[in-house]
Amino acid sequence: MQLKGLVRFFTILLILYSIYELSFTWVVRSHERKMEAKAKQFVDRNYATADSATKAQAYDARLKRLLDSTKDETVHYGFTGAISYDKAKREELNLGLDLKGGINVTMEVDLSGLLRTMANNSKDPNFLKAIENANVKKANSEADFISLFVSEYKALTNNAPLAPLFSAANPDRIKPRDSDDKVISELRASADQAFDNTYRILRTRIDQFGVAQPNINPDKDRDVITVELPGLQDRERVRKNLQSSANLQFWEVYKPEELASYWEAADVAYNAYVTNTPIVTDTASAVADTASGAAGDTVNTAASPKADTSKNAQQRSLFRDYIKTAVAGLPAVAIKDTGAFNDVIQNVLVKTFPPDAKILYGVPPIGDDGKPSKSLPIYVIRTKGQKAPIEGEVVTRAEQQYDQVTGRPTVSMSMNATGSFKWEKLTALSYQEKRPIAVVLDDYVYSAPVANNGAISGGQTEISGGFTLEEAQDLANILKSGRLSAPAKIVQEQVVGPTLGEDAIRGGITAFALSFIVIFLLMLVYYNTSGWVANIALILNLLFTIGVLTGLGATLTAPGIAGLVLTIGMAVDTNVIIYERIKEELTKGKSYVAAVNEGYKRSLPPVLDAHVTTLLTAIILFSFGLGPVKGFATTQIIGILLSLFCGILVSRWVTDWFTSKKRHLEYFTPVSRRIFKHASYKFIEYRKVAYGISFIVLALGIAAIFNGFDQGVEFKGGRSFVVAFDQRVDNKIEAIREDLTKSFGEAPVIKTIGNNRQLDITTSHMIEKSGENVGVEVRTALMQGLKNYLPAGISYEQFDDKYIKASTTVLPTISDELKRDAKWATFWSVLIIALYIFIRFRDWRYSLGTIVALAHDVLVTLAVFSFAREIVPFPLELDQHFIAAILTVIGFSMNDTVIVFDRIREYTRQMVGAPKEVIINKAINETLSRTIMTSLTVFLTILILFLVGGEVTKGFAFAMLIGVLTGTYSSIFVAAPILVDLGGKKGLGPASSSSEKPEPRNKPEVAQH
């Protein structure tokens, strides 16, 4: 082999590189174990008699303090010298949230706000309708938002020019007579700038969470940003911080006494409303807790509106149903009731309150017990005009400080000259009328102080509202991030508990280890001493793959581990192809050296073809996938590329090294010498039977479409919860479904996963609603429906922390986009592979045979997922993992098909004039050993993954098992036989007209002595 020295150099270099990259993970784990031991000793010494919850809290706090205090401690050495724990932590192998636990969100950047700003908040009905229509169509269109808006606006206005709409607010960029192309160019530039600004701000906010390995991926083409925060569990804090647009405003507030008569009118209107539209609420859950008042310059509170106790007890009262508490002297509503109360706001209060009134919630203040209230105060602000008296853009500085009197956390804020002037006027009015000024962040009131010392000049202000230290820091960070013209909203959310992550790691490692051992032994049993070379290549392939993943900063997920397991099966495929060819050459009687040389030479084209087709599907999957699926594709791409290097170059180098030592490797064992010896099965003669089976498959595939599928939450939208119970519940599913139907108002989808004490519950309850507390309401409804199966007296916090192991939320907009991407990914995979086959073999029949075989494989998998979904004891859902499996099946199926096609092409050149049936039968039989060995190795690894790999990859593994079997079948009985019946008597392939010269046929295949 040429360039042996270069191969040896790169092999050694990759070994050293991979070991170095993985060393960071080892030293970080070692350091953290030491700190964990110290934290445990601290707790054992100081909290010996405390309860388990207190011990756990003390342990977490102590461990965090120890890790923080040792950030700069040297734990490793590298090319640049000493490496601290903090730096090593950033260089270690990243674990995805499905392995470590944490939160993953997909955020959609909302460009409609940008257009409204650029149009100076135009009230033109056509403009507003165009934005609304563009938002609706975006879910099922590949066009960007600007294009959709322009198209809708032009249709609504009979092709009116765009410039007059945007020139007033942007005179320096858009002139009244500018062309539409010029305006669209400016809109796109502004949209790109807004997206980048949103990304930068999100990046800043994510850094505040203190997550060691956050992962944020912007996708400008789809206007989405994917954020992964491993190890973080505070879901509500993440939602609040990431979705806040930092759109700070200051508004005048209606005083409670000014609204007394309006509240009474609203109560009457509410009774009339609910008698026609019943609203279900849990009135028993209203919390009568009190909280301290907001501390601003001064606070002046008035009495809350009182319920009219003289009303007939049969009448519905707004105050009996919702407003049960007083927070800081203001009317308040329980957090869990805010979703239902929003309906009251929209249908009652806005119709009975003053026209310039706007109802907002305030932050839950901290009570005397140091905990936040479970109720939200209700503020009514005076909008007067469409624009706030002061906007957040005037804020120049914001930082967390402490009140010098109370010692409580506050936020200090400074304004520019314009803001200082407006602030002085606003605080002067507040002082004269004793009117609160609401500090509003994204329609959420953080504080409402009253100026009691006159107007505040200079713009220097302290904001306080009973903040905790964390809340004050978050508010200061948000204010410092700036104002977003294109805020991002969460359209997909996944939360995985740490225990579920531990189960995924355990299952993945077990599957990985077992697969490695099985394939290792199988190669030795089947290929004798040459199996050691294949195993060396396999070990190096895995080492390099993990090392490169670490070096690239990629994140290892549960599907990523599945990709590694699959890599084990497919990595030996290269050696199988080569070894089977060497065995053929040895059987023909060639010498050892000649057989090895010929085996590697003739194996190169099919090996490249097989890897290219698999690589193409992996690249397409990477392009269209999100989150964990993208991690799987990344692992597969790296594994495929390294498989070529290790399987061809490294294994040849090792083989030549043995040869140079006068030691020949053995390629036969008693087992492999007997299997498929003199195989001469007449596959083509049975093609009509195979066609009949294929027609049945086609019918079942079409029937599956009508029979339906179980769509995962990713594709249909909704919320999915993995709930663990203390006792067996798999025999109570119907009762649980009935109870949850009453709680949700609709029937959920319930499936048993893992053991008999764990359920996956999916519902679309309130998925169309938005708001800060919708998630809390849905979880409250979930807990209510499961109360008969949970310990008595359990609190919401206990249920959320202990029993909900994972959750996923996907809004309908992103689910439509995921479905569209899945269809396109499948389409492009089939088309690109067909084109590659056409270019490679220069015969349309090969491409058509490829398409038919791939369609066959996909239809079989779809039919099984449709008709077996009610039979198997695990979920069979169409989701991103299913699409990953389908594309992988396509690549694997082509792996087999290409090997057969390549041998058909070779024999076509050698057996000139022979019947097509003879050529194809010979090609299939000669490659049968390789086909079965490859399929067997991949099948065994996937079977192990299915059995012990954990729930995250079970559906993926099941689809792959089906695909491996059908892919093997279709390569032999579908793709190849089609070549016989296409093109009449025309020969196979362009051999006769090819630029390649037909190779001379060998003499009769008799051993030469």
Side-chain angles (χ1 to χ4, degrees), residues 429-460:
L429 179 64
S430 172
Y431 174 72
Q432 293 169 5
E433 299 183 1
K434 301 303 179 184
R435 184 176 302 283
I437 302 172
V439 181
V440 181
L441 187 67
D442 298 332
D443 285 346
Y444 215 68
V445 180
Y446 276 75
S447 182
V450 177
N452 68 337
N453 295 322
I456 301 175
S457 59
Q460 182 68 34

Side-chain angles (χ1 to χ4, degrees), residues 341-418:
F341 188 67
N342 287 337
D343 290 331
V344 177
I345 293 175
Q346 296 297 323
N347 294 287
V348 178
L349 298 189
V350 296
K351 298 177 181 178
T352 56
F353 273 42
D356 66 344
K358 183 176 182 180
I359 296 94
L360 300 177
Y361 294 118
V363 296
I366 304 301
D368 294 334
D369 58 358
K371 296 181 180 180
S373 168
K374 295 182 180 179
S375 295
L376 301 181
I378 299 172
Y379 292 86
V380 183
I381 64 171
R382 300 171 64 180
T383 59
K384 291 186 178 179
Q386 293 298 318
K387 193 173 182 181
I390 301 178
E391 297 281 352
E393 58 196 11
V394 303
V395 177
T396 58
R397 183 189 60 82
E399 60 183 16
Q400 183 268 318
Q401 294 184 344
Y402 292 93
D403 187 282
Q404 295 181 354
V405 178
T406 65
R408 284 189 168 182
T410 63
V411 175
S412 177
M413 179 180 63
S414 300
M415 297 182 180
N416 60 22
T418 301

Side-chain angles (χ1 to χ4, degrees), residues 923-996:
I924 296 175
N925 279 290
E926 292 291 342
T927 58
L928 191 60
S929 177
R930 177 265 160 205
T931 299
I932 298 302
M933 270 301 295
T934 299
S935 299
L936 180 62
T937 54
V938 175
F939 183 84
L940 288 175
T941 56
I942 298 300
L943 180 63
I944 292 170
L945 180 66
F946 174 76
L947 294 175
V948 303
E951 298 303 320
V952 176
T953 55
K954 190 172 287 290
F956 166 84
F958 184 74
M960 278 296 300
L961 287 175
I962 300 169
V964 169
L965 295 176
T966 59
T968 304
Y969 170 85
S970 66
S971 298
I972 297 174
F973 290 101
V974 178
I978 282 179
L979 298 177
V980 175
D981 297 314
L982 293 176
K985 296 183 179 181
K986 178 183 176 183
L988 292 173
S992 58
S993 61
S994 171
S995 59
E996 299 177 26

Side-chain angles (χ1 to χ4, degrees), residues 254-270:
Y254 271 102
K255 293 182 286 187
E257 60 268 25
E258 294 176 327
L259 295 172
S261 60
Y262 292 103
W263 278 111
E264 292 179 6
D267 198 31
V268 174
Y270 169 74

Side-chain angles (χ1 to χ4, degrees), residues 696-711 751 855-878 882 885-886 889 946 954-967:
I696 295 174
V697 168
L698 175 63
L700 288 174
I702 296 174
I705 297 175
F706 294 97
N707 187 59
F709 303 92
D710 285 345
Q711 294 189 41
K751 296 173 183 175
H856 174 277
D857 299 337
V858 172
L859 288 174
V860 169
T861 309
L862 287 174
V864 172
F865 266 62
S866 175
F867 293 105
R869 69 185 194 277
E870 301 295 339
I871 301 174
V872 297
F874 51 88
L876 290 182
E877 295 181 337
L878 301 192
F882 173 81
I886 287 291
V889 164
F946 174 76
K954 190 172 287 290
F956 166 84
F958 184 74
M960 278 296 300
L961 287 175
I962 300 169
V964 169
L965 295 176
T966 59

Side-chain angles (χ1 to χ4, degrees), residues 630-739:
K630 192 180 286 287
F632 166 77
T634 301
T635 303
Q636 194 176 21
I637 290 170
I638 294 173
I640 291 169
L641 295 175
L642 289 171
S643 175
L644 283 173
F645 176 76
C646 295
I648 296 176
L649 299 178
V650 174
S651 63
R652 182 64 193 273
W653 167 47
V654 175
T655 301
D656 286 350
W657 182 84
F658 275 101
T659 302
S660 67
K661 300 296 182 182
K662 308 298 183 182
R663 297 180 60 184
H664 291 173
L665 297 171
E666 293 292 334
Y667 290 88
F668 290 97
T669 65
V671 174
S672 62
R673 195 178 292 277
R674 288 194 299 268
I675 294 180
F676 303 119
K677 185 178 182 181
H678 306 304
S680 58
Y681 301 107
K682 299 185 181 300
F683 294 103
I684 300 303
E685 282 72 2
Y686 294 101
R687 68 182 185 279
K688 292 185 178 179
V689 176
Y691 290 163
I693 296 174
S694 296
F695 278 116
I696 295 174
V697 168
L698 175 63
L700 288 174
I702 296 174
I705 297 175
F706 294 97
N707 187 59
F709 303 92
D710 285 345
Q711 294 189 41
V713 67
E714 294 173 338
F715 283 178
K716 69 180 179 181
R719 292 179 174 87
S720 177
F721 302 93
V722 176
V723 183
F725 298 85
D726 295 329
Q727 72 282 346
R728 178 178 177 179
V729 292
D730 61 320
N731 55 352
K732 305 174 184 177
I733 289 180
E734 289 307 317
I736 292 175
R737 180 180 287 109
E738 185 176 339
D739 290 344

